[in-house]
Amino acid sequence: MASQSGTPNTAIVGLQWGDEGKGKFVDVLAAEHDVVVRFNGGANAGHTIVVEGEKLALHLMPSAVLNPNCELVIANGTVIDPGILVKEIELVESRGLSLEGRFHVSSRAHVVLPWHSLLDGAAEARLSDRGEAIGTTKRGIGPAYADKIGRSMAIRMGDLLDEAYLRTHLEKIAPLRLEELKVAGNDSTIDTEALLADLTTLGERLRPYITDTTWLLHDRVNEKRSLLFEGANACLLDVDHGTYPFVTSSNASALGISPGTGLPAKTLGRVVGVVKAYSTRVGGGPFPTELDDATGDRIRDRGREYGTTTGRPRRCGWIDLVALRYAAMVCGADSLAITLLDVLSGFDEIRLCTNYKTASGEILDRFPPDARLLEECTPVYESHPGWAEEIDQCKSISELPPACQSYLKSLQSHLGVPIEFISVGPDRRQTMRCPQKQSCRDDSCCVPGPLENA
Ligand code: IMP
């Protein structure tokens, strides 16, 4: 579906295990859309924005906050720690960015409560004793979504505005959760009165923003405004379609948009899948192309691959086309944004995983549905010559070294999805774009064709 200006409603989602550099493309695409919508996840996501040379790390606020013409929506599919959200609002406002009248938080979104992060930490500690930790961000994401699905122990953002209801509900929930924490080996005490006072104050601070975003978003669609859906986390971390159980607890692929916003699937016009030129993963879980060697270390150093939310070093490896073909299919990617291509300069050889080999020697081209099956897979690589030159100042595809152009062409033809964007550095200006954008299906045009500076 397209807006008055003809811009289709667009989703921007990561196709790997997160940290693909989505924020920059949200920034680029926000300029073409009226409303930016977060539909999943919580403060487990992280992006850094630069305001007058100063870096601000945000976790909940949509990254398009810098664009004063964009309306910002945190929709019902998210889980929100209200303390973190208020801090982010204050941080953003203190830098002179106004949110008045343009920022909306769903009354249906669920609240992350203090026991959620404690329970998350306790569960991880238990699993880690058995060497089975998921490696979560310990932001309480799993326990908050578990309460949402469980229904009787949850609090939603709208509940923060009803003190009497909140009191009755908290008095019922708190003792049960504290008991559960004790069983999990955590003797924390939480003063229910103090928590009630805290949540009521935070609710009052957030009152101007909390609203029924389902109606608001339908109104915007009817007004023919264009929407940009900003996915948090990434497709392979999707609770239904990712490498379960080493996933997050929300639908982090493009499939999460409908349930996470209340908009019908047909609202979505196109999907841009963001793909790092190599692979990374934070936390546990299978990662067939992981490089536990000097090459992996070199990718980590060049790509500054350390988590925005937790600071953890990311696991690094070659690009995995089996996983990407699957993720592009599940998300319905219409075009690709290739990021961090500059990190690959200086390698003699670059590898692309085109297939998996199972323990029994079978060659797979389809991504398996189970983490245990994936754990048994080893990568089958296609070798590609590297390039020595730094490319971070290249302004068009024709300036990229021939081996780099040919790497992009290989990616595009293996994935069967046109490359719309190429990023060779963190700055907005270090971005190239295919002039025909999403409509281009012509392999000879996109890569290595007439790509232009964005
Ligand atoms: P949780 O979302 O904190 O429960 O973490 C579950 C898994 O998803 C862990 O492996 C995390 O490292 C990973 N994860 C969650 N959010 C992100 C993200 O935004 N980028 C990368 N990994 C993430």
Side-chain angles (χ1 to χ4, degrees):
M1 191 182 271
S3 68
Q4 212 153 30
S5 62
T7 309
N9 297 321
T10 303
I12 178 139
V13 287
L15 295 187
Q16 293 154 309
W17 285 288
D19 312 309
E20 293 91 354
K22 297 178 284 287
K24 171 165 147 175
F25 294 99
V26 174
D27 187 33
V28 170
L29 288 168
E32 299 167 11
H33 293 80
D34 303 308
V35 189
V36 178
V37 189
R38 260 199 71 173
F39 57 90
N40 76 297
N44 52 351
H47 43 262
T48 308
I49 59 166
V50 182
V51 187
E52 287 169 2
E54 192 193 350
K55 283 187 175 174
L56 307 185
L58 300 177
H59 300 281
L60 287 167
M61 189 70 82
S63 9
V65 68
L66 279 186
N67 187 326
N69 302 321
C70 267
E71 216 170 352
L72 311 168
V73 176
I74 303 184
N76 61 279
T78 59
V79 287
I80 300 174
D81 180 325
I84 295 181
L85 183 57
V86 165
K87 279 200 188 109
E88 290 192 7
I89 291 172
E90 284 166 1
L91 191 66
V92 161
E93 286 179 338
S94 73
R95 300 307 187 273
L97 296 162
S98 170
L99 294 173
E100 211 185 312
R102 70 172 186 118
F103 177 49
H104 315 282
V105 178
S106 173
S107 55
R108 291 183 175 88
H110 279 249
V111 176
V112 179
L113 292 157
W115 43 78
H116 289 140
S117 25
L118 296 172
L119 286 166
D120 195 354
E124 281 290 278
R126 252 194 337 266
L127 286 170
S128 152
D129 290 343
R130 304 206 304 255
E132 292 169 1
I134 294 170
T136 72
T137 57
K138 300 195 182 116
R139 294 294 182 110
I141 305 298
Y145 277 113
D147 275 351
K148 170 179 174 171
I149 302 302
R151 296 154 295 168
S152 55
M153 309 273 265
I155 290 178
R156 306 202 294 178
M157 290 301 284
D159 300 336
L160 300 185
L161 308 180
D162 182 343
E163 191 178 344
Y165 172 78
L166 197 57
R167 171 180 291 282
T168 322
H169 204 45
L170 269 183
E171 282 171 356
K172 183 181 75 184
I173 305 171
L176 295 169
R177 283 300 183 234
L178 290 176
E179 235 171 74
E180 199 180 324
L181 264 174
K182 198 165 272 170
V183 172
N186 184 318
D187 283 328
S188 296
T189 52
I190 290 169
D191 177 345
T192 313
E193 263 321 305
L195 179 59
L196 176 68
D198 243 18
L199 291 176
T200 313
T201 310
L202 291 167
E204 280 314 309
R205 177 70 177 88
L206 293 168
R207 187 180 284 278
Y209 309 113
I210 298 176
T211 189
D212 185 337
T213 58
T214 304
W215 280 106
L216 182 131
L217 289 171
H218 278 267
D219 286 344
R220 297 298 175 264
V221 169
N222 292 332
E223 291 157 7
K224 300 268 185 279
R225 310 274 192 89
S226 61
L227 313 185
L228 178 65
F229 301 99
E230 175 182 358
N233 327 123
C235 182
L236 298 178
L237 292 171
D238 184 291
V239 66
D240 282 295
H241 303 284
T243 49
Y244 192 88
F246 299 97
V247 291
T248 189
S249 300
S250 68
N251 284 120
S253 66
L255 301 176
I257 293 172
S258 264
T261 60
L263 290 165
K266 66 182 177 189
T267 309
L268 185 59
R270 70 163 177 144
V271 177
V272 179
V274 187
V275 176
K276 224 177 245 199
Y278 47 93
S279 305
T280 62
R281 169 156 218 177
V282 212
F287 182 2
T289 63
E290 181 168 17
L291 294 166
D292 200 6
D293 59 12
T295 307
D297 292 345
R298 187 145 160 233
I299 294 176
R300 184 177 308 105
D301 286 349
R302 281 190 60 87
R304 292 178 293 281
E305 293 292 356
Y306 297 88
T308 324
T309 302
T310 58
R312 289 178 289 180
R314 297 181 185 136
R315 300 157 67 192
C316 297
W318 297 123
I319 200 156
D320 183 340
L321 299 171
V322 186
L324 278 170
R325 279 195 297 267
Y326 166 78
M329 174 186 78
V330 166
C331 290
D334 295 290
S335 71
L336 302 175
I338 306 293
T339 61
L340 291 131
L341 187 60
D342 52 306
V343 172
L344 292 186
S345 287
F347 289 86
D348 293 335
E349 181 203 23
I350 292 170
R351 292 180 157 200
L352 301 93
C353 167
T354 56
N355 294 86
Y356 296 149
K357 192 172 183 179
T358 65
S360 62
E362 191 190 348
I363 300 294
L364 297 184
D365 63 0
R366 292 193 165 194
F367 195 65
D370 186 284
R372 285 190 304 284
L373 293 173
L374 187 57
E375 204 69 78
E376 288 170 14
C377 290
T378 50
V380 177
Y381 284 120
E382 187 177 286
S383 172
H384 198 280
W387 58 92
E389 304 89 330
E390 293 296 346
I391 58 170
D392 56 333
Q393 299 305 317
C394 290
K395 299 271 181 271
S396 68
I397 187 135
S398 56
E399 290 178 37
L400 294 171
C404 179
Q405 293 187 30
S406 135
Y407 180 64
L408 292 171
K409 194 173 172 64
S410 279
L411 291 188
Q412 185 171 260
S413 64
H414 274 293
L415 298 175
V417 183
I419 294 174
E420 179 178 353
F421 295 97
I422 295 166
S423 168
V424 290
D427 198 283
R428 200 176 190 280
R429 283 163 300 191
Q430 292 170 296
T431 313
M432 300 165 214
R433 185 172 194 175
C434 171
Q436 292 181 51
K437 302 185 195 165
Q438 75 283 355
S439 62
C440 185
R441 285 266 171 205
D442 177 358
D443 198 44
S444 64
C445 159
C446 284
V447 173
L451 280 163
E452 282 178 349
N453 205 10

